[in-house]
């Protein structure tokens, strides 16, 4: 059924149809029997899927990655689709429009997406107000970043503002320094600026009566020496974990014609082409930390086998985004029922 629907949806521009579909989901969720219908079709029925991590109980290990619900507009609806957790954002202190459209592109031959959204969002305070009104108890992650106009030298202030704005309404934080779509953002992954940023956030966190888990989201394009630096910093700052990985700037080995890919231009590539690269990063981190650093896996997860691959490599939880677009609203149920 979804393959038929997808063929229709894919005839429309990706960004506009995304919001139309989510508004449709919102309408259905609000109908007298709509929520029950969504539950019956999409919620995993299998027992024993719970995961305990950071003092939180995830009802299943499959979450929705950041970027899908940037402004925390649809968390209750997404909870009805069976997700074990939802990561909102990336949010910035001040609202910003993001990059010029078009900025989201499908590569069906590769089961992939390219995006250069540029942290388009309504700001951290607006997102926090929406989360205060949510009705579901689904676990929420807050993915935070800096505004485009903020120079890297002042980036710490932006992350601090987001941290304070979201602290009371999210269950964990993810520090995003790995998006390729904000100029110079990835420079914050370098050893010294990253260490300063994470030390500062952990200092703020430890001043709270009940600190929240803070994770770091990293790119799949890091060298081995850069990964070693990341591991050292995460352990030194006592971060709760790592989200691996963000989108890639690599365009090698795609089925989509090179001319078409070149015409799309800059942006982060997600989906099936990132699967192996993300798994390699996860395996490397898990091995070189002796499994002491929890990992949320992202990148190329479409099926239970894909998710199992990430878990076997050392991940504790998984997230989907592009797989959700290509596989449809029953992806969580299918993955959960197919896990070992």
């Amino acid at each position: 059924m979804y393959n038929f629907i997808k063929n229709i949806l894919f005839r429309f521009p990706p960004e506009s149809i995304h919001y139309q579909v989510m508004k449709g989901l919102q309408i259905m969720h609000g109908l007298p029997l709509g929520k029950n219908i969504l539950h019956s079709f999409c919620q995993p029925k299998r027992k024993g899927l719970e995961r305990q991590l950071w003092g939180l109980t995830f009802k299943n290990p499959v979450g929705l990655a950041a970027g899908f619900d940037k402004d925390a507009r649809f968390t209750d609806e997404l909870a009805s689709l069976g997700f074990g957790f939802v990561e909102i954002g990336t949010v910035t202190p001040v609202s910003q429009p993001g990059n010029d459209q078009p900025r989201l592109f499908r590569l069906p031959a590769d089961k992939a997406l390219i995006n250069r959204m540029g942290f388009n969002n309504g700001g951290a305070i607006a997102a926090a107000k929406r989360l205060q009104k949510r009705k579901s108890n689904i676990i929420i992650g807050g993915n935070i970043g800096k505004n485009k106009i903020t120079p890297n030298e002042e980036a710490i202030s932006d992350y601090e503002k987001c941290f304070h704005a979201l602290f009371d309404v999210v269950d964990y934080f993810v520090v995003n320094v790995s998006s390729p779509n904000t100029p110079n953002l990835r420079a914050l992954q370098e050893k010294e600026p990253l260490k300063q940023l994470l030390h500062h956030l952990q200092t703020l966190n430890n001043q709270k009566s009940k600190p929240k888990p803070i994770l770091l989201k990293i790119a799949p394009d890091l060298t081995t020496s850069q990964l070693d630096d990341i591991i050292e910093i995460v352990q030194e700052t006592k971060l709760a974990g790592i989200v691996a990985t963000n989108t890639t700037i690599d365009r090698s080995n795609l089925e989509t014609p090179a001319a078409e890919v070149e015409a799309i231009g800059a942006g982060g590539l997600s989906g099936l082409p990132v699967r192996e690269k993300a798994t390699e990063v996860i395996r490397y981190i898990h091995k070189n930390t002796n499994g002491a650093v929890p990992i949320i896996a992202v990148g190329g997860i479409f099926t239970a086998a894909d998710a199992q691959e990430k878990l076997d490599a050392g991940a504790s939880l998984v997230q989907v985004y592009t797989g959700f677009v290509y596989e449809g609203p029953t992806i969580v149920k299918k993955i959960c029922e197919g896990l070992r």
Side-chain angles (χ1 to χ4, degrees):
M1 174 64 76
Y2 182 69
N3 283 334
F4 173 76
I5 296 172
K6 182 174 68 176
N7 288 335
I8 297 173
L9 298 179
F10 275 27
R11 295 176 184 271
F12 296 90
E15 188 171 352
S16 62
I17 199 66
H18 168 80
Y19 288 108
Q20 290 177 37
V21 168
M22 293 310 295
K23 286 177 182 176
L25 177 64
Q26 202 168 44
I27 291 169
M28 183 174 182
H29 187 266
L31 295 174
L33 295 177
K35 187 176 179 180
N36 291 336
I37 293 171
L38 291 172
H39 272 254
S40 65
F41 277 99
C42 302
Q43 290 279 349
K45 303 297 191 295
R46 183 178 164 187
K47 304 293 184 182
L49 293 169
E50 295 82 5
R51 299 289 191 276
Q52 299 287 334
L53 200 61
W54 311 305
L56 300 171
T57 300
F58 296 79
K59 68 176 183 178
N60 69 63
V62 184
L64 182 64
F68 197 93
D69 189 13
K70 292 177 179 290
D71 284 310
R73 294 181 182 276
F74 307 109
T75 52
D76 289 337
E77 291 78 11
L78 291 165
S80 292
L81 298 185
F83 287 101
F85 58 110
V86 170
E87 194 171 304
I88 62 110
T90 298
V91 298
T92 55
V94 179
S95 64
Q96 60 181 26
N99 296 321
D100 294 338
Q101 297 189 34
R103 54 194 180 182
L104 181 61
F105 308 87
R106 305 183 191 96
L107 279 63
D110 293 287
K111 298 185 79 171
L113 298 172
I114 290 177
N115 93 83
R116 51 171 176 269
M117 304 299 287
F119 291 174
N120 56 304
N121 75 106
I125 293 175
K129 288 179 178 178
R130 291 190 190 95
L131 289 173
Q132 287 172 347
K133 298 175 182 177
R134 67 190 179 96
K135 298 176 181 178
S136 70
N137 62 354
I138 190 169
I139 289 174
I140 299 291
N143 188 299
I144 58 177
K146 78 173 189 73
N147 281 112
K148 183 177 181 179
I149 62 172
T150 304
N152 279 8
E153 296 75 24
E154 300 172 20
I156 287 178
S157 176
D158 274 15
Y159 286 92
E160 177 178 338
K161 290 172 184 174
C162 292
F163 176 81
H164 286 309
L166 293 174
F167 188 86
D168 292 331
V169 292
V170 301
D171 298 290
Y172 70 89
F173 283 95
V174 176
V175 179
N176 187 354
V177 291
S178 52
S179 170
N181 300 317
T182 296
N184 301 317
L185 182 74
R186 284 190 169 190
L188 293 176
Q189 288 182 124
E190 296 300 326
K191 191 170 185 178
E192 288 310 313
L194 183 60
K195 189 184 295 186
Q196 291 176 20
L197 171 60
L198 297 180
H199 266 301
H200 184 72
L201 290 175
Q202 281 290 56
T203 298
L204 296 174
N205 197 30
N206 290 328
Q207 291 171 355
K208 302 286 188 179
S209 58
K210 292 183 179 180
K212 299 282 174 78
I214 299 178
L215 290 79
L216 174 68
K217 189 165 189 175
I218 63 173
D221 307 310
L222 299 174
T223 64
T224 299
S225 62
Q226 287 174 317
L227 282 174
D228 290 337
D229 287 342
I230 293 288
I231 290 170
E232 178 186 328
I233 293 168
V234 166
Q235 292 178 326
E236 179 183 324
T237 57
K238 295 181 172 58
L239 233 60
I242 293 174
V243 180
T245 63
N246 213 318
T247 57
T248 181
I249 56 175
D250 185 14
R251 299 289 192 268
S252 58
N253 303 316
L254 295 177
E255 296 294 328
T256 305
E260 185 178 334
V261 175
E262 187 175 345
I264 289 172
L269 175 72
S270 64
L272 204 56
V274 191
R275 195 194 82 199
E276 290 185 13
K277 187 176 289 193
T279 302
E280 289 171 6
V281 170
I282 292 161
R283 189 175 288 116
Y284 185 89
I285 294 170
H286 182 74
K287 178 182 177 182
N288 287 277
T289 61
N290 295 315
V293 176
I295 301 167
I296 297 180
V298 201
I301 299 172
F302 289 73
T303 66
D306 297 332
Q308 191 68 58
E309 177 184 87
K310 296 291 193 288
L311 296 171
D312 291 343
S316 300
L317 304 166
V318 301
Q319 291 178 328
V320 298
Y321 181 121
T322 306
F324 185 30
V325 173
Y326 279 88
E327 299 298 316
T330 59
I331 186 171
V332 177
K333 183 176 183 179
K334 290 177 180 177
I335 289 177
C336 286
E337 293 180 352
L339 289 175
R340 291 201 303 271

